[in-house]
Amino acid sequence: MVELLVGSLNNVAKYIIPTLLVGIPFYALAVKKVPVYEVFVVGAKDGFTIAVRIIPYLVAILVAVGMFRASGALDMLMNLLAPVLNFVGFPAENLPLALMRPLSGSGSLGLLTDLVNEHGVDSLTTKIGATMYGSSETTFYVLAVYFGSVGVIRSRHAVPAGLFADAVGAISAVFFCKLLIA
Amino acid sequence: MLNYIWFGMMAIGVAAGIYNDKIDAVTNAAIDMAKVSVEISIGLIGIMALWLGIMKIAEASGLIKIIAKGLRPITIRLFPDVPEDHPAIGSIVLNMSANILGLGNAATPLGLKAMEELQELNDQKDTATNSMVMFLAINTSSVQLILPATVVALMGATASEIFVTTILATLSSTIAAIAIVKFLEKRKRFAIVPDEEEQENHHG
């Protein structure tokens, strides 16, 4: 049942972008008589400025995350936290991914690959990891890109709120996987 | 807050790097990531241009307004300080739809367009508004109906087993995100500080 649903959803998904790319200009041209080519070019011009504008923000965030990652600090933090989390039922094997997820997309994908290689795709550990990976975004990257694109420097409650939601997501991943899969 | 986290990550990185004898790796990471950041940004130009162009057409044809009006009952609760017919609502809705459908490539340009429109409503351009933080929090908690292609590639058919758990986990984190944003935006320590006051703090 679920497999069929997933299959058909992913099937539908591959038609969405082409439909939008044709459907929007079609509606504009046929119904509203919008000069679509000219309007497109005007809009597309902003692509360059926005992309260039986010560079300093992205450099700031990604360099800090990169230094943190490369230093082995995450392993130290994990050793520190593992006994506590094991006590409350949070599997230690999934902790690195939970900590990495808000920091780095490629880093957490690497950790998920490690889980698959070490525990196999059928293990609960891998499924928890994949759920964590799929249910969250790279908070710091999104923050740098979104706020950077408009020059917002003072992020107010964005970071604590984002990290809180990430923590809830990671804990829910463990909870629902243990409840529904194990 | 970001000042401390940013500095903290680098300082801990250097300290732990020295302790773990990985200081070369830390240095290389800093230089590499600086390069990677530019590559990511430059790589965005084409996709950004494509979607911003299409969005401009959607805007000119009135499609954005139609979408924004239709979903107004939901968005007014999440973004009460955005006027009813403001284009930001349309972009926000489209960005969320793209996220739900797992269209990462389309979601970012739409999200940045929404940020730009939210910025128009911002009195203090260097400070995030309540709506911006709400939008960001919903984005990072990522409501998603389609499993990421990377997960499917890694896990094969087993991926369908985590379909339900992923939706439940992402739903929980999104609800948590909305609740915590609504809670924190009223706290004094996250209040919007007027420019002059902030400057005094910096000099004093």
Side-chain angles (χ1 to χ4, degrees), chain A residues 2 6 10 28 40 44 51 55 60 66 71 76 127 130-131 133 135 137 143 146 150 153-154 156-157 159 165 172 176, chain B residues 5-6 13 20 41 45 49 53 57 95 119 126 128 130 136 140-141 146 151 155 160-161 163 165 172-173 185 190:
Chain A
V2 172
V6 173
N10 285 335
F40 177 90
I55 290 177
S71 69
M76 295 166 78
K127 286 173 191 164
T131 302
Y133 180 86
S135 65
E137 267 292 332
L143 182 102
Y146 276 41
V150 289
I153 303 164
R154 288 181 226 155
R156 291 176 61 218
H157 48 308
V159 176
S172 317
F176 288 119
Chain B
I5 291 181
W6 184 69
N20 292 327
S41 308
I45 294 176
I57 297 175
N95 162 271
Q119 182 72 323
D126 65 344
N130 287 348
L136 195 86
T140 57
S141 68
I146 311 275
V151 170
M155 299 187 59
S160 62
E161 283 180 45
F163 176 68
T165 54
S172 314
S173 71
E185 71 186 21
F190 296 118

Side-chain angles (χ1 to χ4, degrees), chain B residues 11-168:
Chain B
I12 293 171
V14 170
I18 294 170
Y19 179 82
N20 292 327
D21 204 15
K22 285 184 173 171
I23 195 68
D24 285 341
V26 174
T27 309
N28 288 336
I31 293 162
D32 287 347
M33 290 317 274
K35 277 189 206 157
V36 168
S37 310
V38 176
E39 282 162 20
I40 292 175
S41 308
I42 300 297
L44 270 176
I45 294 176
I47 309 164
M48 289 285 303
L50 172 63
W51 282 106
L52 292 177
I54 293 288
M55 277 293 285
K56 199 79 177 177
I57 297 175
E59 212 180 291
S61 65
L63 269 176
I64 305 277
K65 257 194 185 149
I66 297 171
I67 295 167
K69 268 218 178 99
L71 285 154
R72 195 57 198 153
I74 303 168
T75 52
I76 192 146
R77 285 185 176 79
L78 294 174
F79 308 100
D81 44 359
V82 180
E84 187 171 347
D85 52 352
H86 198 272
I89 294 294
S91 303
I92 287 171
V93 168
L94 286 174
N95 162 271
M96 285 180 186
S97 320
N99 271 326
I100 289 171
L101 299 170
L103 309 173
N105 277 344
T108 307
L110 296 172
L112 297 188
K113 182 109 175 87
M115 286 302 292
E116 206 172 13
E117 285 151 359
L118 287 175
Q119 182 72 323
E120 281 169 20
L121 299 166
N122 190 359
D123 294 330
Q124 206 169 311
K125 300 293 180 202
D126 65 344
T127 306
T129 61
N130 287 348
S131 291
M132 286 178 178
V133 177
M134 177 60 83
F135 179 54
L136 195 86
I138 293 174
N139 244 287
T140 57
S141 68
S142 98
V143 187
Q144 203 166 334
L145 254 187
I146 311 275
L147 289 171
T150 41
V151 170
V152 177
L154 259 176
M155 299 187 59
T158 325
S160 62
E161 283 180 45
I162 62 150
F163 176 68
V164 175
T165 54
T166 304
I167 289 181
L168 290 172

Side-chain angles (χ1 to χ4, degrees), chain A residues 75-87:
Chain A
D75 299 315
M76 295 166 78
L77 190 63
M78 202 186 96
N79 289 336
L80 210 70
L81 288 175
V84 187
L85 288 169
N86 256 335
F87 183 72

